[in-house]
mmCIF file of all heavy atoms in Angstrom:
data_model
loop_
_atom_site.group_PDB
_atom_site.id
_atom_site.type_symbol
_atom_site.label_atom_id
_atom_site.label_comp_id
_atom_site.label_asym_id
_atom_site.label_seq_id
_atom_site.Cartn_x
_atom_site.Cartn_y
_atom_site.Cartn_z
ATOM 1 N N ILE A 954 107.084 75.921 82.736
ATOM 2 C CA ILE A 954 105.946 76.159 81.842
ATOM 3 C C ILE A 954 106.422 75.792 80.445
ATOM 4 O O ILE A 954 107.455 76.289 79.987
ATOM 5 C CB ILE A 954 105.518 77.643 81.856
ATOM 6 C CG1 ILE A 954 105.182 78.099 83.265
ATOM 7 C CG2 ILE A 954 104.335 77.863 80.931
ATOM 8 C CD1 ILE A 954 104.983 79.586 83.390
ATOM 9 N N LYS A 961 104.408 62.878 76.122
ATOM 10 C CA LYS A 961 104.369 62.320 77.475
ATOM 11 C C LYS A 961 104.662 63.349 78.567
ATOM 12 O O LYS A 961 104.991 62.985 79.681
ATOM 13 C CB LYS A 961 105.348 61.147 77.606
ATOM 14 C CG LYS A 961 105.005 59.972 76.726
ATOM 15 C CD LYS A 961 105.990 58.847 76.906
ATOM 16 C CE LYS A 961 105.692 57.736 75.923
ATOM 17 N NZ LYS A 961 106.720 56.728 75.878
ATOM 18 N N ASN A 964 101.306 70.097 77.006
ATOM 19 C CA ASN A 964 101.101 70.999 75.874
ATOM 20 C C ASN A 964 101.579 72.406 76.207
ATOM 21 O O ASN A 964 101.911 72.713 77.352
ATOM 22 C CB ASN A 964 99.619 71.028 75.491
ATOM 23 C CG ASN A 964 99.139 69.670 75.006
ATOM 24 O OD1 ASN A 964 99.840 68.979 74.290
ATOM 25 N ND2 ASN A 964 97.946 69.283 75.418
ATOM 26 N N VAL A 969 104.294 72.015 84.474
ATOM 27 C CA VAL A 969 104.622 70.625 84.780
ATOM 28 C C VAL A 969 105.794 70.545 85.751
ATOM 29 O O VAL A 969 106.602 71.461 85.851
ATOM 30 C CB VAL A 969 104.969 69.818 83.499
ATOM 31 C CG1 VAL A 969 103.760 69.657 82.607
ATOM 32 C CG2 VAL A 969 106.102 70.444 82.735
ATOM 33 N N PRO A 973 115.054 68.086 88.103
ATOM 34 C CA PRO A 973 115.901 69.270 87.872
ATOM 35 C C PRO A 973 116.878 69.135 86.700
ATOM 36 O O PRO A 973 117.042 70.070 85.926
ATOM 37 C CB PRO A 973 116.665 69.420 89.187
ATOM 38 C CG PRO A 973 115.800 68.765 90.203
ATOM 39 C CD PRO A 973 115.089 67.648 89.489
ATOM 40 N N ASN A 990 107.249 80.925 87.198
ATOM 41 C CA ASN A 990 107.056 82.042 88.123
ATOM 42 C C ASN A 990 105.965 82.935 87.548
ATOM 43 O O ASN A 990 105.500 82.725 86.436
ATOM 44 C CB ASN A 990 108.369 82.808 88.398
ATOM 45 C CG ASN A 990 108.992 83.397 87.163
ATOM 46 O OD1 ASN A 990 108.299 83.814 86.240
ATOM 47 N ND2 ASN A 990 110.323 83.421 87.130
ATOM 48 N N GLN A 994 104.611 83.072 83.687
ATOM 49 C CA GLN A 994 103.243 82.597 83.466
ATOM 50 C C GLN A 994 102.449 83.642 82.675
ATOM 51 O O GLN A 994 101.733 83.307 81.737
ATOM 52 C CB GLN A 994 102.568 82.294 84.801
ATOM 53 C CG GLN A 994 101.272 81.546 84.666
ATOM 54 C CD GLN A 994 100.702 81.142 86.024
ATOM 55 O OE1 GLN A 994 101.077 81.684 87.052
ATOM 56 N NE2 GLN A 994 99.785 80.191 86.006
ATOM 57 N N LEU A 1004 102.633 81.133 70.000
ATOM 58 C CA LEU A 1004 103.294 79.841 70.156
ATOM 59 C C LEU A 1004 102.491 78.731 69.478
ATOM 60 O O LEU A 1004 103.058 77.848 68.839
ATOM 61 C CB LEU A 1004 103.495 79.510 71.640
ATOM 62 C CG LEU A 1004 104.517 80.361 72.395
ATOM 63 C CD1 LEU A 1004 104.419 80.112 73.893
ATOM 64 C CD2 LEU A 1004 105.917 80.099 71.899
ATOM 65 N N LYS A 1006 100.469 79.109 66.913
ATOM 66 C CA LYS A 1006 100.591 79.306 65.471
ATOM 67 C C LYS A 1006 101.911 78.719 64.970
ATOM 68 O O LYS A 1006 101.945 77.994 63.976
ATOM 69 C CB LYS A 1006 100.506 80.804 65.153
ATOM 70 C CG LYS A 1006 100.520 81.111 63.673
ATOM 71 C CD LYS A 1006 100.406 82.605 63.422
ATOM 72 C CE LYS A 1006 100.527 82.875 61.931
ATOM 73 N NZ LYS A 1006 100.771 84.271 61.648
ATOM 74 N N LYS A 1031 126.133 45.105 55.839
ATOM 75 C CA LYS A 1031 127.147 45.138 56.898
ATOM 76 C C LYS A 1031 127.889 43.806 56.969
ATOM 77 O O LYS A 1031 127.342 42.769 56.619
ATOM 78 C CB LYS A 1031 126.486 45.390 58.262
ATOM 79 C CG LYS A 1031 125.840 46.750 58.382
ATOM 80 C CD LYS A 1031 126.904 47.764 58.560
ATOM 81 C CE LYS A 1031 126.340 49.149 58.720
ATOM 82 N NZ LYS A 1031 127.375 50.142 58.772
ATOM 83 N N GLU A 1032 129.108 43.875 57.477
ATOM 84 C CA GLU A 1032 129.839 42.644 57.755
ATOM 85 C C GLU A 1032 129.264 42.041 59.026
ATOM 86 O O GLU A 1032 128.894 42.757 59.947
ATOM 87 C CB GLU A 1032 131.324 42.946 57.958
ATOM 88 C CG GLU A 1032 132.041 43.309 56.684
ATOM 89 C CD GLU A 1032 133.533 43.465 56.897
ATOM 90 O OE1 GLU A 1032 134.077 42.868 57.847
ATOM 91 O OE2 GLU A 1032 134.136 44.194 56.108
ATOM 92 N N GLU A 1047 123.586 56.938 61.773
ATOM 93 C CA GLU A 1047 123.783 56.230 60.506
ATOM 94 C C GLU A 1047 122.478 56.162 59.713
ATOM 95 O O GLU A 1047 122.463 56.309 58.493
ATOM 96 C CB GLU A 1047 124.304 54.819 60.804
ATOM 97 C CG GLU A 1047 124.933 54.134 59.639
ATOM 98 C CD GLU A 1047 125.588 52.811 60.019
ATOM 99 O OE1 GLU A 1047 125.830 52.547 61.203
ATOM 100 O OE2 GLU A 1047 125.848 52.037 59.077
ATOM 101 N N ILE A 1048 121.363 55.964 60.416
ATOM 102 C CA ILE A 1048 120.051 55.910 59.767
ATOM 103 C C ILE A 1048 119.703 57.278 59.176
ATOM 104 O O ILE A 1048 119.252 57.379 58.040
ATOM 105 C CB ILE A 1048 118.958 55.441 60.754
ATOM 106 C CG1 ILE A 1048 119.244 53.999 61.192
ATOM 107 C CG2 ILE A 1048 117.571 55.531 60.122
ATOM 108 C CD1 ILE A 1048 118.389 53.524 62.350
ATOM 109 N N GLU A 1059 116.216 65.743 55.745
ATOM 110 C CA GLU A 1059 117.044 65.849 56.938
ATOM 111 C C GLU A 1059 116.241 65.428 58.165
ATOM 112 O O GLU A 1059 115.285 66.087 58.551
ATOM 113 C CB GLU A 1059 117.569 67.274 57.099
ATOM 114 C CG GLU A 1059 118.755 67.336 58.013
ATOM 115 C CD GLU A 1059 119.503 68.648 57.909
ATOM 116 O OE1 GLU A 1059 119.710 69.128 56.782
ATOM 117 O OE2 GLU A 1059 119.852 69.176 58.972
ATOM 118 N N PRO A 1062 118.957 62.605 64.347
ATOM 119 C CA PRO A 1062 119.067 61.314 65.032
ATOM 120 C C PRO A 1062 118.176 61.222 66.279
ATOM 121 O O PRO A 1062 117.690 60.148 66.614
ATOM 122 C CB PRO A 1062 120.547 61.237 65.417
ATOM 123 C CG PRO A 1062 121.238 62.087 64.402
ATOM 124 C CD PRO A 1062 120.262 63.201 64.090
ATOM 125 N N SER A 1070 118.182 47.158 69.888
ATOM 126 C CA SER A 1070 119.471 47.378 69.257
ATOM 127 C C SER A 1070 119.491 46.735 67.870
ATOM 128 O O SER A 1070 119.037 45.610 67.694
ATOM 129 C CB SER A 1070 120.550 46.762 70.144
ATOM 130 O OG SER A 1070 121.814 47.088 69.656
ATOM 131 N N ASN A 1072 121.592 45.083 65.873
ATOM 132 C CA ASN A 1072 122.894 44.443 65.802
ATOM 133 C C ASN A 1072 122.863 43.034 65.212
ATOM 134 O O ASN A 1072 123.797 42.278 65.366
ATOM 135 C CB ASN A 1072 123.539 44.417 67.197
ATOM 136 C CG ASN A 1072 122.691 43.698 68.213
ATOM 137 O OD1 ASN A 1072 121.620 43.199 67.893
ATOM 138 N ND2 ASN A 1072 123.155 43.646 69.447
ATOM 139 N N PHE A 1083 108.518 63.110 64.829
ATOM 140 C CA PHE A 1083 108.850 64.450 64.358
ATOM 141 C C PHE A 1083 108.320 65.522 65.295
ATOM 142 O O PHE A 1083 108.882 66.587 65.434
ATOM 143 C CB PHE A 1083 108.243 64.677 62.967
ATOM 144 C CG PHE A 1083 108.795 63.757 61.923
ATOM 145 C CD1 PHE A 1083 108.009 62.786 61.340
ATOM 146 C CD2 PHE A 1083 110.111 63.861 61.532
ATOM 147 C CE1 PHE A 1083 108.519 61.940 60.379
ATOM 148 C CE2 PHE A 1083 110.639 63.014 60.571
ATOM 149 C CZ PHE A 1083 109.832 62.051 60.000
#
Side-chain angles (χ1 to χ4, degrees):
I954 303 170
K961 296 181 185 170
N964 296 320
V969 293
N990 60 34
Q994 192 174 18
L1004 291 169
K1006 184 179 176 195
K1031 295 285 181 185
E1032 288 186 25
E1047 198 173 344
I1048 296 169
E1059 199 165 317
S1070 187
N1072 58 1
F1083 297 112

